[in-house]
Amino acid sequence: MYLKSYEALEPKDLMHLRTVLAEVCSEMKISIDDAQVQTIGHDLVGLWLSGFRSSEELKVMLKPLA
């Protein structure tokens, strides 16, 4: 099931995205408190709403944006 842009993410979805964000920050060697992380998080949510769900998909799709 794909989310519409006006639908809210469930807590489990947010936890998944938070885990992916932490992994991406670790791979990029940046602190979770870095200003760039807000942009990465925004991009992750956009990818999620576009239908990308797995950690691997999200990371691969995020690389060209980072």
Side-chain angles (χ1 to χ4, degrees):
M1 177 177 158
Y2 293 103
L3 296 174
K4 305 288 186 217
S5 61
Y6 57 85
E7 293 179 339
L9 296 172
E10 294 184 21
K12 65 179 176 67
D13 301 329
L14 292 174
M15 288 300 298
H16 178 66
L17 289 172
R18 175 66 171 87
T19 299
V20 173
L21 180 62
E23 291 171 1
V24 168
C25 288
S26 177
E27 291 171 9
M28 294 177 69
K29 296 181 178 26
I30 58 175
S31 168
I32 197 76
D33 298 322
D34 191 286
Q36 183 182 7
V37 174
Q38 184 174 357
T39 301
I40 296 169
H42 181 269
D43 293 341
L44 280 172
V45 171
L47 290 167
W48 180 271
L49 292 173
S50 296
F52 298 96
R53 298 292 188 263
S54 75
S55 298
E56 294 78 22
E57 286 179 320
L58 290 165
K59 288 180 191 179
V60 167
M61 293 303 295
L62 187 63
K63 286 188 188 237
L65 301 175

